[in-house]
Amino acid sequence: MRLFTPVDFGQAARDYAAHRQGFPASFFDRLAALGIGRGGQILLDLGTGTGTIAHGVAARGARVLALDVSRPMLAEARRLRPGSDTAYFHAGAERLPIRAASLDAVTAGQCWTWFDGPVVARECRRVLRPDGTLVVAHFDYLPVAGNAAARTEELLLRYNPTWPLAGLREHYPHWRPHLEGAGFRQIESFAYDETVLYERSAWRGRMRACNGVLALRDDARIRAFDADLAALLAAEFADPLVIPHRVSALLAHSHGI
């Protein structure tokens, strides 16, 4: 079962592509050092969205299959990397159109929250080769008291008081049982912080593609939030905004099964 009700990121695909900064180069360097995403490997990227992980590992030589349930997001992924040999699939992660034991790695960036995690974990185990690895990762801004991210969330909570994903988030307690339940036994993690700079206009676009804003499900309310956010940022913060982010990942190795 899903922990949270999915939202339609496709309605904000252009903002997502233009303004949400994807996983940093250091993340792909970390994966490469662990033997993930190297040239000659076949990798499946679940919930690829605009392709931030798919494009990052493809640029390092891996052959990538990218999957998402949103056609608009897949269209943006193709637009951002024209001519790529990445193969895109419109499908859900709970029933993968991939034959068993055929992949070196599976990645799931910024999306496991929206899956039926136990079901997807079993599917990942099925499609991985005996020495394959599943990577479940997030790249989240950190709403530290008084910073632009925290002030933005305070405003958003006035529009969406029941938003369940506000604040500092620790994903591991939710994810690890999914992987263990699928039979993965050798599980490790890493996390580190990076600073990201945003112009105020870009931060507004990034927030228009935030799940808490999309959950408003009302164009007029989203426009009102955006206008209020513009006023807040202009009054309290100068460009560029300094937004701390956290990269975090769980890695489950099929050779530990």
Side-chain angles (χ1 to χ4, degrees), residues 112 116-126 134 178-179 182 184:
W112 200 270
D116 185 332
V119 172
V120 175
R122 290 193 295 271
E123 275 290 88
C124 291
R125 178 184 171 184
R126 179 182 67 81
L134 167 62
H178 300 170
L179 310 187
F184 290 101

Side-chain angles (χ1 to χ4, degrees), residues 170-193:
E170 175 54 75
H171 303 287
Y172 296 162
H174 298 300
W175 299 344
R176 192 180 188 100
H178 300 170
L179 310 187
E180 292 173 341
F184 290 101
R185 291 290 176 265
Q186 188 177 346
I187 301 173
E188 58 186 313
S189 65
F190 65 77
Y192 62 95
D193 295 350

